Amino acid sequence: ASFLLLCFRTSLATPLILGLLLQPPLTQLSIITQPNIVLLMADDLGIGDVGCYGNDTIRTPNIDRLAKEGVKLTQHIAAAPLCTPSRAAFLTGRYPLRSGMDAINNYRVIFWNGGSGGLPPNETTFAKILQQQGYSTGLIGKWHQGVNCESRNDHCHHPLNHGFDYFYGMPFTLISDCQPTETPEMDRVFRRKLWVYTQMIGLITLTAALGRLTGLISVRWKMLTCLAGFSLLFFVSWFSSYGFVRYWNCIMMRNHEVTEQPMVTDRTTSLILKESISFIERNKHKPFLLFLSFLHSHTPLLTTEKFLGRSSHGLYGDNVEEMDWMVGQVLDTIDKEGLKNTTLVYFASDHGGWLERQDGNRQLGGWNGIYRGGKAMGGWEGGIRVPGIFRWPGVLPAGTVIDEPTSLMDIYPTVAHLAGGVLPQDRVVDGRDLMPLLRGTVEHSEHEFLFHYCGVHLHAVRWHQKDSGAIWKAHYVTPVFRPLGAGACYDRGFCPCFGEGVTHHDPPLLFDLSRDPSEAKPLSADTEPLFDTVIRKIGRAVEEHRRTLTPVPEQLSFYNAVWKPWLQPCCGTFPFCWCDKEGDN
């Protein structure tokens, strides 16, 4: 009997032992402490521009490879439809208005390197948490979160003051003004008005002077001198900033040092790639965080000669394909250094593609697939739904697609927990740790509600009704598209958040994104039995959310937005700011 009992126990134990030995690597997360983290963020890339999200004409084999080898999110949402606020939310895991990084006016992004607004020093970024956990942290590429507060070299908003050990790239953002052959982009309409006012004042001054000389007008020379002085002062007051945008905004920095002023755009792409690869190679023996913040695919679409004319979508397509090649180079470096299985790679865009960015018949902005709207539109899906891909071989199941609502803000708690860090307890963190969802240990996202802002104005709210699978979306405010029937604000170049360019909805426009992801057919009390219930539920969520908001200094106020000569980064003696230290090297 004892022999039979022993055999029985052995027969039970053998498959158990074999099962433990043959467990897939998916369960081995606890063994890999502090993985390397590589965050790849495109600029202005539309969700419809990527092959694995449905584009069959722009070639993105390397981004597609990430999706094939990892997890693809189909409802990945930016916290804002523009660069500065979206990236602030990404870095802090908090809605941008919590840090003062969303605007009450039309200055919705950082406008000058010489402005005083930016990501407040008291905000804790994921880079700072990882730095405290012993990570080497690097940012290569675009920052666009401000530089200085009170003096030219205080660097209070600088990446090195926000947890990054190393920075190489643009403290600002790429704009057409950086390319001498391109039409100026920054504040184009306002700049045109200033030219007209200058010419009018100059014409009045000249007419008065000629009238005095010919005796046709009785005016004293003292008055003429004051008029001429005012005319000159007015011209200098705006031309000293807008006349030198390329020198003030289009600069490259390495840590605190300005290396190119203005930047030499022909070599920017190769230098950013070289710096990214070098950072990985230098830090391969200890945990590292690399945030590669691409300048692609923002206008003026800097594209090297090798990729020009390669795509069937003109310069924009060429630019996206070059960025995909850069992604491939980074992935190849990770493989070559034997880091693939110990590195979490993430790819996303900061917000949707810019529909209004055109030059004649040429489309210079991205495509947002089936989703309505685009960049600058706080509520419509096309402005905020972006690609989101994670790869970590052996930990995340390959070829997985997740349709649950997730946010760019979720990266913050996700990487903080992976690094063994602790989230700040003295503030609201809106992001949620994605690892349980990515690994398949939970079925649903932790987000029940997501709030979609345009500046500080709440435009829409998403409710994930988990028991039914419905994704309700209520729009309180929508932009007025012009011309009528168009899908964007082509008359303005950007859709506004408030004023005459928007429509307020009472009751709100309601959509069920699970049935109507294109937001084409608004529901009503007549067509949807749950209409009133859903609107009330979302309304209560808005009230609860607003109770969590506290007043903070407005980083994008008019005062903070304007150019201040004493804050302008300069590699010489101001105002003689010119250098090319990369060329010297």
Side-chain angles (χ1 to χ4, degrees):
S2 60
F3 176 74
L4 289 172
L5 182 61
L6 179 63
C7 289
F8 176 69
R9 285 176 176 169
T10 306
S11 66
L12 286 176
T14 303
L16 180 62
I17 293 167
L18 283 171
L20 288 171
L21 290 172
L22 298 175
Q23 276 283 352
L26 188 61
T27 60
Q28 303 303 310
L29 176 63
S30 59
I31 296 172
I32 305 171
T33 57
Q34 294 197 317
N36 305 310
I37 295 165
V38 175
L39 308 175
L40 308 171
M41 180 167 281
D43 196 2
D44 284 20
L45 181 75
I47 192 170
D49 293 325
V50 184
C52 58
Y53 283 91
N55 193 306
D56 56 5
T57 52
I58 295 180
R59 293 164 295 192
T60 55
N62 295 294
I63 299 170
D64 298 347
R65 169 162 55 114
L66 274 179
K68 186 177 179 182
E69 296 176 355
V71 179
K72 182 177 78 170
L73 306 174
T74 64
Q75 198 177 164
H76 200 41
I77 307 298
L82 284 174
C83 310
T84 295
S86 174
R87 289 162 183 266
F90 175 71
L91 287 160
T92 64
R94 291 151 48 83
Y95 286 107
L97 78 167
R98 294 195 192 278
S99 57
M101 292 294 280
D102 238 340
I104 59 168
N105 51 40
N106 287 319
Y107 290 94
R108 295 164 59 189
V109 298
I110 299 289
F111 256 70
W112 298 97
N113 281 326
S116 51
L119 191 63
N122 64 351
E123 285 293 326
T124 302
T125 65
F126 57 68
K128 194 169 285 186
I129 293 176
L130 268 64
Q131 188 182 56
Q132 291 166 354
Q133 294 304 115
Y135 273 69
S136 295
T137 56
L139 168 61
I140 312 293
K142 169 175 171 170
W143 174 236
H144 210 191
Q145 299 292 302
V147 182
N148 299 312
C149 288
E150 296 177 355
S151 66
R152 181 165 292 119
N153 295 312
D154 67 30
H155 295 141
C156 68
H157 303 307
H158 190 279
L160 267 59
N161 200 41
H162 278 296
F164 291 100
D165 299 317
Y166 184 75
F167 169 62
Y168 177 79
M170 285 191 78
F172 193 60
T173 182
L174 199 58
I175 50 176
S176 292
D177 304 67
C178 298
Q179 195 81 310
T181 57
E182 294 287 321
T183 305
E185 172 185 334
M186 189 171 151
D187 249 357
R188 193 182 307 174
V189 175
F190 183 56
R191 209 187 302 194
R192 206 173 291 140
K193 287 179 181 176
L194 289 171
W195 264 118
V196 171
Y197 295 152
T198 303
Q199 289 167 342
M200 287 172 62
I201 295 168
L203 188 62
I204 290 168
T205 305
L206 186 61
T207 302
L210 288 173
R212 175 71 174 81
L213 289 170
T214 57
L216 294 174
I217 300 175
S218 178
V219 58
R220 289 184 295 176
W221 284 113
K222 187 177 180 181
M223 177 65 74
L224 277 175
T225 304
C226 288
L227 196 59
F230 173 75
S231 178
L232 180 63
L233 192 64
F234 178 77
F235 174 70
V236 170
S237 70
W238 70 265
F239 194 77
S240 59
S241 55
Y242 284 106
F244 299 91
V245 170
R246 187 163 159 255
Y247 285 83
W248 302 152
N249 280 348
C250 305
I251 68 174
M252 298 292 285
M253 294 181 78
R254 177 175 284 104
N255 296 327
H256 289 136
E257 181 186 24
V258 177
T259 58
E260 295 179 29
Q261 191 167 17
M263 63 194 291
V264 182
T265 54
D266 289 346
R267 62 177 178 230
T268 304
T269 296
S270 61
L271 284 174
I272 284 177
L273 181 59
K274 176 184 170 186
E275 288 280 347
S276 301
I277 291 172
S278 174
F279 182 84
I280 294 171
E281 291 173 342
R282 289 198 311 270
N283 294 285
K284 62 186 176 183
H285 296 302
K286 64 179 292 189
F288 66 82
L289 162 72
L290 170 61
F291 177 19
L292 172 48
S293 178
F294 291 104
L295 302 183
H296 297 62
S297 49
H298 200 294
T299 50
L301 302 173
L302 297 184
T303 310
T304 58
E305 193 173 342
K306 176 182 173 184
F307 284 88
L308 288 175
R310 282 185 42 161
S311 84
S312 55
H313 283 272
L315 184 59
Y316 181 83
D318 298 344
N319 194 253
V320 173
E321 292 192 5
E322 180 173 56
M323 179 186 65
D324 178 80
W325 170 77
M326 293 172 74
V327 170
Q329 295 297 298
V330 171
L331 297 181
D332 289 348
T333 303
I334 292 170
D335 291 352
K336 186 187 79 174
E337 299 297 341
L339 303 172
K340 184 173 181 177
N341 292 336
T342 55
T343 303
L344 173 69
V345 179
Y346 166 76
F347 177 85
S349 177
D350 55 355
H351 50 69
W354 190 359
L355 301 179
E356 296 94 343
R357 191 67 175 97
Q358 298 174 328
D359 181 15
N361 294 325
R362 286 197 310 159
Q363 179 64 32
L364 299 179
W367 181 51
N368 300 311
I370 65 170
Y371 303 107
R372 192 172 183 181
K375 177 179 177 175
M377 303 181 208
W380 294 122
E381 288 292 284
I384 53 177
R385 192 183 287 224
V386 297
I389 303 169
F390 289 85
R391 187 194 75 174
W392 187 357
V395 176
L396 302 182
T400 303
V401 177
I402 294 176
D403 298 322
E404 294 285 298
T406 57
S407 170
L408 263 68
M409 296 184 291
D410 297 337
I411 305 311
Y412 183 90
T414 302
V415 300
H417 288 150
L418 287 173
V422 178
L423 299 182
Q425 300 300 305
D426 61 344
R427 65 199 67 187
V428 176
V429 174
D430 300 293
R432 299 290 180 264
D433 184 2
L434 287 177
M435 284 308 293
L437 183 67
L438 297 174
R439 298 182 68 214
T441 58
V442 300
E443 188 180 347
H444 293 298
S445 159
E446 285 188 45
H447 290 290
E448 184 177 9
F449 296 96
L450 285 171
F451 303 91
H452 307 308
Y453 283 91
C454 187
V456 297
H457 308 275
L458 184 66
H459 274 206
V461 180
R462 175 185 318 250
W463 175 30
H464 181 207
Q465 191 179 6
K466 297 176 186 178
D467 56 352
S468 71
I471 306 284
W472 304 103
K473 177 118 166 271
H475 288 261
Y476 294 94
V477 183
T478 56
V480 177
F481 292 157
R482 299 230 186 271
L484 290 174
C489 303
Y490 292 101
D491 59 328
R492 296 170 178 260
F494 266 115
C495 283
C497 296
F498 60 93
E500 296 177 356
V502 303
T503 301
H504 293 263
H505 302 281
D506 187 14
L509 295 179
L510 183 67
F511 300 90
D512 180 359
L513 298 182
S514 62
R515 292 179 287 168
D516 179 22
S518 301
E519 298 173 289
K521 300 171 184 175
L523 303 170
S524 67
D526 296 329
T527 60
E528 176 51 63
L530 294 174
F531 183 88
D532 292 329
T533 304
V534 171
I535 295 300
R536 278 196 302 271
K537 177 80 173 178
I538 291 176
R540 285 194 296 270
V542 170
E543 291 172 13
E544 202 172 306
H545 166 69
R546 283 182 170 149
R547 282 196 289 270
T548 70
L549 302 176
T550 54
V552 291
E554 296 162 11
Q555 296 298 322
L556 302 181
S557 66
F558 178 76
Y559 173 78
N560 281 332
V562 296
W563 181 70
K564 301 172 181 66
W566 61 92
L567 298 184
Q568 176 60 48
C570 180
C571 62
T573 302
F574 187 85
F576 305 104
C577 304
W578 183 91
C579 64
D580 181 7
K581 295 175 184 177
E582 298 295 344
D584 295 341
N585 290 337

